[in-house]
Coordinates of all heavy atoms in Angstrom, one line a residue:
M1 N -191.7 -21.4 -371.7 CA -193.0 -21.8 -371.1 C -192.6 -22.3 -369.7 O -191.7 -23.1 -369.5 CB -193.6 -23.0 -372.0 CG -194.9 -23.4 -371.5 SD -195.7 -24.7 -372.5 CE -196.4 -23.8 -373.8
T2 N -193.5 -22.0 -368.8 CA -193.3 -22.4 -367.4 C -193.7 -23.8 -367.2 O -194.5 -24.3 -368.0 CB -194.1 -21.5 -366.4 OG1 -195.5 -21.7 -366.6 CG2 -193.7 -20.0 -366.6
P3 N -193.3 -24.5 -366.2 CA -193.7 -25.9 -366.0 C -195.3 -26.0 -365.8 O -195.9 -26.9 -366.4 CB -193.0 -26.3 -364.7 CG -191.8 -25.5 -364.7 CD -192.2 -24.2 -365.3
Q4 N -195.8 -25.0 -365.1 CA -197.3 -25.0 -364.9 C -198.0 -24.7 -366.3 O -199.0 -25.3 -366.6 CB -197.7 -23.9 -363.9 CG -199.2 -23.9 -363.6 CD -199.7 -25.2 -363.0 OE1 -199.0 -25.8 -362.1 NE2 -200.8 -25.7 -363.4
G5 N -197.4 -23.8 -367.1 CA -198.0 -23.6 -368.4 C -198.0 -24.8 -369.3 O -198.9 -25.1 -370.0
F6 N -196.9 -25.5 -369.2 CA -196.8 -26.8 -370.0 C -197.8 -27.8 -369.6 O -198.5 -28.4 -370.4 CB -195.4 -27.4 -369.9 CG -195.3 -28.8 -370.5 CD1 -195.2 -28.9 -371.8 CD2 -195.3 -29.9 -369.6 CE1 -195.2 -30.2 -372.4 CE2 -195.2 -31.2 -370.2 CZ -195.2 -31.3 -371.5
C7 N -197.9 -27.9 -368.2 CA -198.9 -28.9 -367.7 C -200.3 -28.6 -368.1 O -201.1 -29.4 -368.5 CB -198.8 -29.0 -366.2 SG -197.3 -29.8 -365.6
N8 N -200.7 -27.3 -368.1 CA -202.0 -26.8 -368.5 C -202.2 -27.1 -370.0 O -203.2 -27.6 -370.4 CB -202.2 -25.3 -368.2 CG -202.4 -25.1 -366.7 OD1 -202.7 -26.0 -366.0 ND2 -202.1 -23.9 -366.3
Y9 N -201.2 -26.8 -370.8 CA -201.3 -27.0 -372.3 C -201.4 -28.5 -372.6 O -202.2 -28.9 -373.4 CB -200.0 -26.4 -372.9 CG -199.9 -26.7 -374.4 CD1 -200.6 -26.0 -375.3 CD2 -199.1 -27.8 -374.9 CE1 -200.6 -26.3 -376.7 CE2 -199.0 -28.1 -376.2 CZ -199.8 -27.3 -377.1 OH -199.7 -27.6 -378.5
F10 N -200.6 -29.3 -371.9 CA -200.7 -30.8 -372.1 C -202.0 -31.3 -371.8 O -202.6 -32.1 -372.5 CB -199.6 -31.4 -371.2 CG -199.4 -32.9 -371.6 CD1 -198.4 -33.2 -372.5 CD2 -200.1 -33.9 -370.9 CE1 -198.2 -34.6 -372.8 CE2 -199.9 -35.2 -371.2 CZ -199.0 -35.6 -372.2
K11 N -202.6 -30.9 -370.7 CA -203.9 -31.3 -370.3 C -205.0 -30.9 -371.3 O -205.9 -31.7 -371.6 CB -204.3 -30.9 -368.9 CG -205.6 -31.5 -368.3 CD -205.6 -31.5 -366.9 CE -206.8 -32.3 -366.4 NZ -206.7 -32.7 -365.0
R12 N -204.9 -29.7 -371.7 CA -205.9 -29.2 -372.7 C -205.8 -30.0 -374.0 O -206.8 -30.4 -374.6 CB -205.7 -27.7 -373.1 CG -206.4 -26.8 -372.2 CD -206.4 -25.4 -372.8 NE -205.2 -24.9 -373.3 CZ -204.2 -24.3 -372.7 NH1 -204.3 -24.1 -371.4 NH2 -203.1 -23.9 -373.3
R13 N -204.6 -30.4 -374.4 CA -204.4 -31.1 -375.7 C -204.7 -32.6 -375.6 O -205.1 -33.2 -376.6 CB -203.0 -30.9 -376.2 CG -202.6 -29.4 -376.5 CD -203.4 -28.8 -377.6 NE -202.9 -29.2 -378.8 CZ -203.4 -29.0 -380.0 NH1 -204.5 -28.2 -380.1 NH2 -202.8 -29.4 -381.1
T14 N -204.4 -33.2 -374.5 CA -204.5 -34.7 -374.4 C -205.7 -35.1 -373.5 O -206.1 -36.3 -373.5 CB -203.3 -35.3 -373.8 OG1 -203.1 -34.8 -372.4 CG2 -202.0 -34.9 -374.6
G15 N -206.2 -34.2 -372.6 CA -207.3 -34.6 -371.7 C -206.8 -35.4 -370.5 O -207.6 -35.8 -369.7
M16 N -205.5 -35.4 -370.3 CA -204.9 -36.0 -369.1 C -203.7 -35.2 -368.6 O -203.1 -34.5 -369.4 CB -204.5 -37.5 -369.3 CG -203.5 -37.7 -370.4 SD -203.1 -39.4 -370.9 CE -203.4 -40.4 -369.5
S17 N -203.4 -35.4 -367.4 CA -202.3 -34.7 -366.8 C -201.0 -35.3 -367.3 O -200.9 -36.4 -367.7 CB -202.3 -34.7 -365.3 OG -201.9 -36.0 -364.8
F18 N -199.9 -34.5 -367.3 CA -198.6 -35.0 -367.8 C -198.1 -36.1 -366.9 O -197.6 -37.1 -367.3 CB -197.6 -33.8 -367.8 CG -196.2 -34.3 -368.2 CD1 -195.9 -34.7 -369.5 CD2 -195.2 -34.3 -367.3 CE1 -194.7 -35.2 -369.9 CE2 -193.9 -34.8 -367.6 CZ -193.7 -35.2 -368.9
V19 N -198.3 -35.9 -365.6 CA -197.8 -36.9 -364.6 C -198.6 -38.2 -364.8 O -198.1 -39.3 -364.8 CB -198.0 -36.4 -363.1 CG1 -197.7 -37.5 -362.2 CG2 -197.1 -35.2 -362.9
G20 N -199.9 -38.1 -365.1 CA -200.7 -39.3 -365.3 C -200.3 -40.0 -366.6 O -200.2 -41.3 -366.6
Y21 N -200.0 -39.2 -367.6 CA -199.5 -39.8 -368.9 C -198.1 -40.5 -368.6 O -197.9 -41.6 -369.1 CB -199.3 -38.7 -369.9 CG -198.7 -39.2 -371.2 CD1 -199.5 -39.9 -372.1 CD2 -197.4 -38.9 -371.5 CE1 -198.9 -40.3 -373.3 CE2 -196.8 -39.3 -372.7 CZ -197.6 -40.0 -373.6 OH -197.1 -40.4 -374.8
L22 N -197.2 -39.8 -367.9 CA -195.9 -40.4 -367.7 C -196.0 -41.7 -366.8 O -195.4 -42.7 -367.1 CB -195.0 -39.4 -366.9 CG -193.6 -39.8 -366.7 CD1 -192.9 -40.1 -367.9 CD2 -192.9 -38.6 -365.9
N23 N -196.9 -41.7 -365.8 CA -197.0 -42.9 -365.0 C -197.6 -44.0 -365.8 O -197.2 -45.2 -365.7 CB -197.9 -42.6 -363.8 CG -197.2 -41.9 -362.7 OD1 -196.0 -41.9 -362.6 ND2 -197.9 -41.2 -361.8
G24 N -198.5 -43.7 -366.7 CA -199.1 -44.8 -367.6 C -198.0 -45.4 -368.5 O -198.0 -46.6 -368.7
L25 N -197.1 -44.6 -369.0 CA -196.0 -45.1 -369.8 C -195.1 -46.0 -368.9 O -194.6 -47.1 -369.3 CB -195.1 -44.0 -370.4 CG -195.8 -43.2 -371.5 CD1 -194.8 -42.0 -371.9 CD2 -196.0 -44.1 -372.7
R26 N -194.8 -45.5 -367.7 CA -193.9 -46.2 -366.8 C -194.5 -47.6 -366.4 O -193.8 -48.6 -366.4 CB -193.6 -45.4 -365.6 CG -192.7 -44.3 -365.8 CD -192.6 -43.4 -364.5 NE -191.6 -42.4 -364.7 CZ -191.5 -41.4 -363.8 NH1 -192.2 -41.3 -362.8 NH2 -190.6 -40.5 -364.1
I27 N -195.8 -47.6 -366.2 CA -196.5 -48.8 -365.8 C -196.5 -49.8 -367.0 O -196.3 -51.0 -366.8 CB -197.9 -48.6 -365.3 CG1 -197.9 -47.8 -364.0 CG2 -198.7 -49.9 -365.1 CD1 -197.1 -48.5 -362.8
G28 N -196.6 -49.3 -368.2 CA -196.6 -50.1 -369.4 C -195.2 -50.8 -369.5 O -195.2 -52.0 -369.8
V29 N -194.2 -50.1 -369.3 CA -192.8 -50.7 -369.4 C -192.7 -51.7 -368.2 O -192.1 -52.8 -368.4 CB -191.7 -49.6 -369.3 CG1 -190.4 -50.2 -369.1 CG2 -191.8 -48.7 -370.5
A30 N -193.2 -51.4 -367.0 CA -193.1 -52.3 -365.9 C -193.8 -53.6 -366.2 O -193.4 -54.7 -365.8 CB -193.6 -51.6 -364.6
R31 N -195.0 -53.5 -366.8 CA -195.8 -54.7 -367.1 C -195.0 -55.6 -368.0 O -194.9 -56.8 -367.8 CB -197.1 -54.3 -367.8 CG -198.0 -53.7 -366.8 CD -199.2 -53.0 -367.5 NE -200.1 -54.0 -368.0 CZ -201.3 -53.7 -368.5 NH1 -201.7 -52.5 -368.5 NH2 -202.1 -54.7 -368.9
K32 N -194.3 -55.1 -369.0 CA -193.5 -55.9 -369.9 C -192.4 -56.5 -369.2 O -192.1 -57.7 -369.4 CB -193.0 -55.0 -371.1 CG -194.0 -54.6 -372.1 CD -193.5 -53.8 -373.1 CE -194.6 -53.2 -374.1 NZ -194.0 -52.3 -375.1
M33 N -191.7 -55.8 -368.3 CA -190.6 -56.3 -367.6 C -191.1 -57.4 -366.6 O -190.4 -58.4 -366.4 CB -189.9 -55.2 -366.8 CG -189.2 -54.2 -367.7 SD -188.6 -52.8 -366.8 CE -187.1 -53.5 -366.1
L34 N -192.2 -57.2 -366.0 CA -192.8 -58.2 -365.1 C -193.1 -59.5 -365.8 O -192.9 -60.6 -365.2 CB -194.0 -57.7 -364.4 CG -193.8 -56.7 -363.3 CD1 -195.1 -56.0 -362.9 CD2 -193.2 -57.3 -362.0
L35 N -193.5 -59.4 -367.0 CA -193.9 -60.7 -367.8 C -192.6 -61.4 -368.2 O -192.7 -62.6 -368.4 CB -194.7 -60.3 -369.0 CG -196.1 -59.8 -368.7 CD1 -196.9 -59.5 -369.9 CD2 -196.9 -60.9 -367.8
Q36 N -191.5 -60.7 -368.3 CA -190.2 -61.4 -368.6 C -189.7 -62.2 -367.4 O -189.1 -63.2 -367.6 CB -189.2 -60.4 -369.0 CG -189.5 -59.7 -370.4 CD -188.5 -58.6 -370.7 OE1 -187.7 -58.2 -369.9 NE2 -188.6 -58.2 -371.9
G37 N -190.1 -61.8 -366.2 CA -189.7 -62.5 -365.0 C -188.3 -62.6 -364.7 O -187.9 -63.5 -363.9
R38 N -187.4 -61.8 -365.2 CA -186.0 -61.9 -365.0 C -185.5 -61.0 -363.8 O -184.4 -61.3 -363.3 CB -185.2 -61.4 -366.2 CG -185.5 -62.3 -367.4 CD -184.6 -61.9 -368.6 NE -185.2 -62.5 -369.8 CZ -185.3 -61.8 -370.9 NH1 -184.9 -60.6 -371.0 NH2 -185.9 -62.4 -372.0
Q39 N -186.3 -60.0 -363.4 CA -185.8 -59.1 -362.4 C -186.8 -59.1 -361.2 O -187.9 -59.3 -361.4 CB -185.6 -57.7 -363.0 CG -184.6 -57.6 -364.1 CD -184.6 -56.3 -364.7 OE1 -185.6 -55.7 -365.0 NE2 -183.4 -55.7 -365.0
K40 N -186.2 -58.7 -360.1 CA -187.1 -58.5 -358.9 C -188.0 -57.3 -359.1 O -187.6 -56.3 -359.8 CB -186.2 -58.3 -357.7 CG -185.4 -59.5 -357.3 CD -184.6 -59.2 -356.0 CE -183.9 -60.4 -355.5 NZ -183.2 -60.2 -354.3
I41 N -189.1 -57.3 -358.4 CA -190.0 -56.2 -358.5 C -189.4 -54.9 -358.1 O -189.6 -53.8 -358.7 CB -191.3 -56.5 -357.8 CG1 -192.1 -57.6 -358.4 CG2 -192.2 -55.2 -357.7 CD1 -193.3 -58.2 -357.7
S42 N -188.5 -54.9 -357.1 CA -187.9 -53.7 -356.6 C -187.0 -53.1 -357.6 O -186.8 -51.9 -357.7 CB -187.1 -54.0 -355.3 OG -186.1 -55.0 -355.5
V43 N -186.3 -54.0 -358.4 CA -185.4 -53.5 -359.5 C -186.3 -52.8 -360.6 O -185.9 -51.8 -361.1 CB -184.6 -54.6 -360.0 CG1 -183.8 -54.2 -361.3 CG2 -183.6 -55.1 -359.0
I44 N -187.4 -53.5 -360.9 CA -188.3 -52.9 -361.9 C -188.8 -51.6 -361.5 O -188.9 -50.6 -362.3 CB -189.4 -53.9 -362.3 CG1 -188.8 -55.2 -362.9 CG2 -190.5 -53.3 -363.1 CD1 -189.8 -56.3 -363.1
C45 N -189.2 -51.5 -360.2 CA -189.6 -50.2 -359.7 C -188.6 -49.1 -359.9 O -189.0 -48.0 -360.4 CB -189.9 -50.4 -358.2 SG -190.1 -48.9 -357.2
A46 N -187.4 -49.4 -359.6 CA -186.3 -48.4 -359.7 C -186.0 -48.1 -361.2 O -185.9 -46.9 -361.6 CB -185.1 -48.8 -359.1
E47 N -186.0 -49.1 -362.0 CA -185.7 -48.9 -363.5 C -186.8 -48.2 -364.2 O -186.5 -47.6 -365.3 CB -185.3 -50.2 -364.1 CG -184.0 -50.7 -363.7 CD -183.5 -51.9 -364.5 OE1 -184.2 -52.3 -365.4 OE2 -182.5 -52.4 -364.1
T48 N -188.0 -48.2 -363.7 CA -189.1 -47.5 -364.4 C -189.3 -46.1 -363.9 O -190.2 -45.4 -364.3 CB -190.4 -48.3 -364.4 OG1 -190.7 -48.6 -363.1 CG2 -190.3 -49.6 -365.2
G49 N -188.5 -45.7 -363.0 CA -188.5 -44.3 -362.5 C -189.3 -44.0 -361.3 O -189.5 -42.8 -361.0
F50 N -189.8 -45.0 -360.6 CA -190.5 -44.7 -359.3 C -189.5 -44.6 -358.2 O -188.6 -45.4 -358.1 CB -191.5 -45.8 -359.1 CG -192.7 -45.8 -360.1 CD1 -192.7 -46.5 -361.2 CD2 -193.8 -45.0 -359.8 CE1 -193.7 -46.5 -362.1 CE2 -194.8 -44.9 -360.7 CZ -194.8 -45.6 -361.9
N51 N -189.8 -43.7 -357.3 CA -188.8 -43.4 -356.2 C -188.9 -44.4 -355.1 O -188.0 -44.6 -354.3 CB -189.0 -42.0 -355.7 CG -188.6 -40.9 -356.7 OD1 -187.7 -41.2 -357.5 ND2 -189.3 -39.8 -356.7
N52 N -190.1 -44.9 -354.9 CA -190.2 -45.9 -353.8 C -191.2 -47.0 -354.1 O -192.1 -46.8 -355.0 CB -190.6 -45.2 -352.5 CG -191.9 -44.5 -352.5 OD1 -192.9 -45.1 -352.8 ND2 -191.9 -43.2 -352.2
M53 N -191.1 -48.1 -353.5 CA -191.9 -49.3 -353.8 C -193.4 -49.1 -353.5 O -194.2 -49.5 -354.3 CB -191.4 -50.5 -353.0 CG -192.0 -51.8 -353.4 SD -191.5 -52.3 -355.0 CE -190.9 -53.9 -354.6
S54 N -193.7 -48.4 -352.4 CA -195.2 -48.2 -352.1 C -195.9 -47.4 -353.2 O -197.0 -47.7 -353.6 CB -195.3 -47.6 -350.7 OG -194.8 -46.3 -350.7
N55 N -195.2 -46.3 -353.7 CA -195.8 -45.5 -354.8 C -195.9 -46.4 -356.1 O -196.9 -46.3 -356.8 CB -195.0 -44.3 -355.0 CG -195.6 -43.4 -356.0 OD1 -196.8 -43.2 -356.1 ND2 -194.8 -42.8 -356.9
F56 N -194.9 -47.2 -356.3 CA -195.0 -48.0 -357.5 C -196.2 -49.0 -357.5 O -196.9 -49.1 -358.4 CB -193.7 -48.8 -357.7 CG -193.7 -49.9 -358.7 CD1 -193.8 -49.5 -360.1 CD2 -193.6 -51.2 -358.4 CE1 -193.8 -50.5 -361.1 CE2 -193.7 -52.2 -359.4 CZ -193.7 -51.8 -360.7
I57 N -196.3 -49.6 -356.3 CA -197.4 -50.6 -356.2 C -198.8 -49.9 -356.2 O -199.7 -50.4 -356.9 CB -197.3 -51.4 -354.9 CG1 -196.1 -52.3 -354.9 CG2 -198.5 -52.2 -354.5 CD1 -195.7 -53.0 -353.6
E58 N -198.9 -48.7 -355.6 CA -200.1 -47.9 -355.7 C -200.5 -47.5 -357.1 O -201.6 -47.7 -357.6 CB -199.9 -46.7 -354.8 CG -201.2 -45.8 -354.8 CD -200.9 -44.5 -354.0 OE1 -200.1 -44.6 -353.0 OE2 -201.5 -43.5 -354.3
Q59 N -199.5 -47.0 -357.9 CA -199.7 -46.7 -359.3 C -200.0 -47.9 -360.1 O -200.9 -47.9 -361.0 CB -198.5 -45.9 -359.8 CG -198.3 -44.5 -359.2 CD -199.5 -43.6 -359.4 OE1 -200.1 -43.5 -360.4 NE2 -199.9 -43.0 -358.3
F60 N -199.3 -49.0 -359.9 CA -199.6 -50.2 -360.6 C -201.0 -50.7 -360.4 O -201.7 -51.1 -361.4 CB -198.6 -51.3 -360.2 CG -198.5 -52.4 -361.2 CD1 -197.6 -52.4 -362.2 CD2 -199.3 -53.6 -361.0 CE1 -197.5 -53.4 -363.1 CE2 -199.2 -54.6 -361.9 CZ -198.3 -54.5 -363.0
R61 N -201.5 -50.7 -359.2 CA -202.8 -51.0 -358.9 C -203.9 -50.1 -359.5 O -204.9 -50.6 -360.0 CB -203.1 -51.0 -357.4 CG -202.6 -52.2 -356.6 CD -203.1 -52.1 -355.2 NE -202.4 -53.1 -354.3 CZ -202.8 -54.4 -354.1 NH1 -203.9 -54.8 -354.7 NH2 -202.1 -55.2 -353.4
K62 N -203.5 -48.9 -359.6 CA -204.4 -47.9 -360.2 C -204.6 -48.2 -361.7 O -205.8 -48.1 -362.2 CB -203.8 -46.5 -360.1 CG -204.6 -45.4 -360.7 CD -203.9 -44.0 -360.4 CE -204.7 -42.9 -361.1 NZ -204.0 -41.6 -360.9
Y63 N -203.6 -48.7 -362.4 CA -203.7 -48.9 -363.8 C -204.1 -50.4 -364.1 O -204.7 -50.6 -365.2 CB -202.4 -48.6 -364.5 CG -202.2 -47.1 -364.7 CD1 -201.5 -46.4 -363.6 CD2 -202.6 -46.5 -365.8 CE1 -201.3 -45.1 -363.8 CE2 -202.4 -45.1 -365.9 CZ -201.8 -44.4 -364.9 OH -201.6 -43.0 -365.0
T64 N -203.8 -51.3 -363.3 CA -204.1 -52.7 -363.6 C -205.1 -53.4 -362.6 O -205.5 -54.5 -362.9 CB -202.8 -53.6 -363.6 OG1 -202.3 -53.6 -362.2 CG2 -201.8 -53.0 -364.5
H65 N -205.4 -52.8 -361.5 CA -206.3 -53.3 -360.5 C -205.8 -54.6 -359.8 O -206.5 -55.4 -359.4 CB -207.7 -53.6 -361.1 CG -208.3 -52.3 -361.8 ND1 -208.7 -51.2 -361.0 CD2 -208.5 -52.0 -363.1 CE1 -209.1 -50.3 -361.9 NE2 -209.0 -50.8 -363.1
M66 N -204.4 -54.7 -359.8 CA -203.8 -55.8 -359.1 C -202.4 -55.4 -358.8 O -201.8 -54.4 -359.4 CB -203.8 -57.1 -359.9 CG -203.1 -57.0 -361.2 SD -203.3 -58.5 -362.2 CE -204.6 -58.1 -363.2
S67 N -201.8 -56.1 -357.8 CA -200.4 -55.8 -357.5 C -199.4 -56.4 -358.5 O -199.8 -57.2 -359.3 CB -200.1 -56.4 -356.1 OG -199.9 -57.8 -356.2
P68 N -198.2 -55.9 -358.5 CA -197.2 -56.5 -359.5 C -197.1 -58.0 -359.3 O -197.0 -58.7 -360.3 CB -195.9 -55.8 -359.2 CG -196.3 -54.5 -358.6 CD -197.6 -54.8 -357.8
L69 N -197.1 -58.5 -358.1 CA -196.9 -59.9 -357.9 C -198.2 -60.7 -358.4 O -198.1 -61.7 -359.0 CB -196.7 -60.2 -356.4 CG -196.3 -61.6 -356.1 CD1 -195.0 -62.1 -356.8 CD2 -196.0 -61.8 -354.6
E70 N -199.4 -60.1 -358.1 CA -200.6 -60.7 -358.6 C -200.6 -60.8 -360.1 O -201.0 -61.7 -360.8 CB -201.8 -60.0 -358.1 CG -202.1 -60.1 -356.6 CD -203.1 -59.1 -356.1 OE1 -203.3 -58.0 -356.7 OE2 -203.8 -59.5 -355.2
Y71 N -200.1 -59.7 -360.7 CA -200.0 -59.6 -362.2 C -199.1 -60.8 -362.7 O -199.5 -61.4 -363.7 CB -199.4 -58.3 -362.6 CG -199.3 -58.0 -364.0 CD1 -200.5 -57.5 -364.7 CD2 -198.2 -58.2 -364.8 CE1 -200.4 -57.2 -366.1 CE2 -198.1 -57.9 -366.1 CZ -199.2 -57.4 -366.8 OH -199.2 -57.1 -368.1
Q72 N -198.0 -61.0 -362.1 CA -197.1 -62.1 -362.5 C -197.8 -63.5 -362.3 O -197.7 -64.3 -363.2 CB -195.8 -62.1 -361.8 CG -194.9 -61.0 -362.2 CD -193.5 -61.0 -361.5 OE1 -193.4 -61.2 -360.3 NE2 -192.5 -60.8 -362.3
Y73 N -198.5 -63.7 -361.2 CA -199.2 -64.9 -361.0 C -200.3 -65.1 -362.1 O -200.4 -66.2 -362.6 CB -199.8 -65.0 -359.6 CG -198.8 -65.2 -358.5 CD1 -198.9 -64.5 -357.3 CD2 -197.9 -66.2 -358.6 CE1 -198.0 -64.8 -356.3 CE2 -197.0 -66.5 -357.6 CZ -197.1 -65.7 -356.4 OH -196.2 -66.0 -355.4
R74 N -201.0 -64.1 -362.3 CA -202.2 -64.2 -363.3 C -201.7 -64.5 -364.7 O -202.3 -65.3 -365.4 CB -202.9 -62.9 -363.3 CG -204.0 -62.9 -364.4 CD -205.0 -61.9 -364.3 NE -205.8 -62.1 -363.1 CZ -206.8 -61.2 -362.8 NH1 -207.0 -60.1 -363.5 NH2 -207.4 -61.4 -361.7
Y75 N -200.5 -64.0 -365.1 CA -200.1 -64.3 -366.4 C -199.0 -65.3 -366.5 O -198.3 -65.5 -367.5 CB -199.6 -63.0 -367.1 CG -200.8 -62.0 -367.3 CD1 -201.0 -61.0 -366.4 CD2 -201.7 -62.3 -368.3 CE1 -202.1 -60.2 -366.6 CE2 -202.9 -61.5 -368.4 CZ -203.1 -60.4 -367.6 OH -204.2 -59.6 -367.7
G76 N -198.9 -66.2 -365.5 CA -198.1 -67.4 -365.5 C -196.6 -67.2 -365.4 O -195.9 -68.2 -365.7
V77 N -196.1 -66.0 -365.0 CA -194.7 -65.9 -364.9 C -194.2 -66.6 -363.6 O -193.2 -67.2 -363.6 CB -194.4 -64.3 -364.8 CG1 -192.9 -64.1 -364.6 CG2 -194.8 -63.7 -366.1
K78 N -195.0 -66.5 -362.6 CA -194.7 -67.2 -361.3 C -195.9 -68.1 -361.0 O -197.0 -67.9 -361.4 CB -194.5 -66.2 -360.2 CG -193.3 -65.3 -360.4 CD -193.1 -64.5 -359.1 CE -191.9 -63.7 -359.4 NZ -190.9 -63.8 -358.4
S79 N -195.5 -69.2 -360.3 CA -196.6 -70.1 -359.9 C -196.6 -70.1 -358.4 O -195.6 -70.0 -357.7 CB -196.4 -71.5 -360.4 OG -195.2 -72.0 -360.0
R80 N -197.8 -70.3 -357.8 CA -197.9 -70.3 -356.4 C -197.5 -71.7 -355.9 O -197.8 -72.7 -356.5 CB -199.4 -70.1 -356.0 CG -199.9 -68.7 -356.3 CD -201.3 -68.5 -355.8 NE -201.8 -67.3 -356.4 CZ -201.8 -66.1 -355.8 NH1 -201.1 -65.9 -354.6 NH2 -202.3 -65.0 -356.3
K81 N -196.8 -71.7 -354.8 CA -196.4 -73.0 -354.2 C -197.6 -73.7 -353.5 O -198.3 -73.1 -352.8 CB -195.3 -72.7 -353.2 CG -194.0 -72.2 -353.8 CD -192.9 -72.1 -352.8 CE -191.6 -71.6 -353.4 NZ -190.6 -71.4 -352.5
V82 N -197.7 -74.9 -353.9 CA -198.8 -75.7 -353.3 C -198.2 -76.5 -352.1 O -197.2 -77.1 -352.2 CB -199.4 -76.7 -354.3 CG1 -200.5 -77.5 -353.7 CG2 -199.8 -75.9 -355.6
R83 N -199.0 -76.4 -351.0 CA -198.5 -77.1 -349.8 C -199.3 -78.4 -349.6 O -200.3 -78.6 -349.9 CB -198.7 -76.2 -348.5 CG -197.9 -75.0 -348.6 CD -198.1 -74.2 -347.4 NE -197.4 -72.9 -347.5 CZ -197.1 -72.1 -346.6 NH1 -197.6 -72.3 -345.4 NH2 -196.5 -71.0 -346.8

């Protein structure tokens, strides 16, 4: 099966593109890692398979409607410094 044939088959069967499905899985793993708060966002970006930080942040926003740092703040992993 050709790569294009696979992508067409996958979309017909699941209703979503293979790349969209894969990015959803990667963002799910990244969310769990962000909530652990042990690693820098740049390390999480690389470990979840994204080639660059800007693409990671763009995809993260697409799925969660917030940046990775906002996600950590919202769920109490990091606290904002009060001046």
Side-chain angles (χ1 to χ4, degrees):
M1 183 178 279
T2 66
Q4 186 61 42
F6 170 76
C7 288
N8 289 336
Y9 175 78
F10 191 90
K11 187 159 190 163
R12 271 195 317 272
R13 301 294 282 175
T14 65
M16 62 188 327
S17 72
F18 177 70
V19 172
Y21 176 78
L22 184 59
N23 282 340
L25 288 177
R26 289 174 174 170
I27 295 299
V29 171
R31 290 168 71 171
K32 289 178 185 178
M33 293 173 78
L34 286 166
L35 291 179
Q36 291 173 349
R38 295 184 199 137
Q39 297 173 318
K40 292 182 177 184
I41 293 172
S42 59
V43 172
I44 293 171
C45 167
E47 287 190 3
T48 54
F50 289 93
N51 291 328
N52 62 59
M53 188 70 126
S54 62
N55 184 40
F56 172 66
I57 293 171
E58 180 182 330
Q59 293 301 316
F60 196 89
R61 281 187 192 271
K62 181 178 175 182
Y63 286 87
T64 65
H65 306 290
M66 62 185 94
S67 73
L69 191 57
E70 291 170 330
Y71 186 81
Q72 286 185 316
Y73 284 135
R74 175 166 292 176
Y75 294 102
V77 176
K78 294 189 179 232
S79 60
R80 296 185 191 267
K81 292 183 180 178
V82 179
R83 295 181 187 192

